[in-house]
Amino acid sequence: MSHVLAPTLRERWMAVREGLDNAVQASGRRREDVCLVAVSKYHPTAAIAELAALGQKDFGENYMQEARAKQTELEKNPACAAIRWHAIGALQTNKAKDAAGHFALIHSVDSLKLAEALSRRMPEGGMQDILLQVNIGEEPQKAGVHPDALAELAESVENLPGLRLLGLMCLPPRCGEGEAARPWFVRLRELRDALERRLGRSLPHLSMGMSGDFRQAVEEGATLVRVGTDIFGPRPNRPVS
């Protein structure tokens, strides 16, 4: 009886890259305009280092303690020198000190209180790039600013030193469900476009789309797609030590 070997980390990563390449090509966009963020939450640093050596640059983490420990460990590895870290999980205000200045992009700013805390923690002259997380489905159990309050929050964030607003992020009600998620991606793009007109400047990034729906997200304008399981495999039950 023959046994089919499970795909390796490299094979899974290459398959996701191929799927992303195909989605970008089908949508008529440029490949360099869509960034693959490998969501490494709960996965060991060895897996991150392996992908970094293959050329993966962007990694997303949800929890500050885990993320900062990984950053400290991997900064000693030359293959990981080019990593761009993304904070993609809900961020508590009391964790702002662990986030500000330590990530290329924070995707999950959802309140003025959090933005102010990040601003206070930034060293003078430093700049932290951020996205505003929108509760696109207006679900009470999920983080994110209500769509009706988005413009007010964005205008307030614009006045805070040390923060640079670059766009929006969402986790829709039907995330991972392919076509069912598309209307939420359209809605986020529409909110971004309206916000650009209100602020009078470009907001280049839309962080939307995961393993099951990144193709639809790309078609609707995603510039950052967050893929975990399809790259790393099933997530461990508890964080790595």
Side-chain angles (χ1 to χ4, degrees):
M1 181 177 179
S2 62
H3 295 278
V4 177
L5 295 177
T8 64
L9 176 61
R10 180 180 184 275
E11 289 169 340
R12 290 193 299 266
W13 176 69
M14 291 183 65
V16 169
R17 283 173 53 88
E18 181 180 2
L20 183 56
D21 290 346
N22 292 339
V24 171
Q25 183 176 13
S27 66
R29 300 176 64 196
R30 300 185 305 170
R31 180 61 183 86
E32 59 265 32
D33 291 337
V34 183
C35 172
L36 172 63
V37 179
V39 179
S40 45
K41 174 178 69 173
Y42 292 178
H43 292 287
T45 53
I48 298 172
E50 180 179 345
L51 289 185
L54 291 171
Q56 176 65 31
K57 296 292 192 295
D58 295 85
F59 291 86
E61 289 285 335
N62 288 62
Y63 303 113
M64 286 301 101
Q65 184 176 357
E66 180 186 356
R68 296 291 288 122
K70 288 177 175 178
Q71 289 173 347
T72 299
E73 180 177 346
L74 290 172
E75 69 183 5
K76 306 167 188 174
N77 186 330
C80 300
I83 284 180
R84 294 185 292 261
W85 294 98
H86 297 247
I88 63 173
L91 184 59
Q92 296 177 338
T93 303
N94 64 0
K95 297 294 184 180
K97 66 182 184 299
D98 298 316
H102 297 294
F103 292 86
L105 184 63
I106 297 175
H107 294 224
S108 50
V109 177
D110 62 355
S111 71
L112 182 57
K113 182 179 179 183
L114 174 56
E116 289 173 337
L118 291 169
S119 176
R120 287 194 302 270
R121 292 292 183 172
M122 285 302 297
E124 185 175 355
M127 188 63 64
Q128 174 65 66
D129 290 338
I130 67 167
L131 306 179
L132 297 183
Q133 181 176 352
V134 182
N135 188 341
I136 199 73
E138 301 176 26
E139 300 171 274
Q141 77 277 16
K142 281 188 180 176
V145 60
H146 191 284
D148 290 343
L150 174 61
E152 181 180 358
L153 175 58
E155 289 177 335
S156 297
V157 168
E158 287 279 87
N159 296 319
L160 295 176
L163 300 184
R164 179 164 49 210
L165 176 59
L166 294 182
L168 306 178
M169 183 267 260
C170 76
L171 185 66
R174 303 300 295 272
C175 66
E177 296 189 30
E179 284 299 319
R182 187 185 296 274
W184 304 108
F185 300 149
V186 172
R187 177 62 175 147
L188 192 72
R189 187 187 70 239
E190 292 173 343
L191 287 170
R192 189 277 309 272
D193 293 349
L195 194 56
E196 285 185 328
R197 293 190 293 269
R198 181 158 180 161
L199 298 179
R201 69 174 183 87
S202 172
L203 297 170
H205 286 308
L206 289 173
S207 173
M208 57 189 193
M210 300 171 70
S211 290
D213 54 26
F214 70 79
R215 294 164 183 81
Q216 289 79 12
V218 167
E219 291 172 5
E220 299 304 335
T223 62
L224 298 142
V225 297
R226 312 179 305 270
V227 180
T229 301
D230 280 5
I231 294 175
F232 290 97
R235 189 175 297 137
N237 293 326
R238 60 184 179 83
V240 295
S241 56

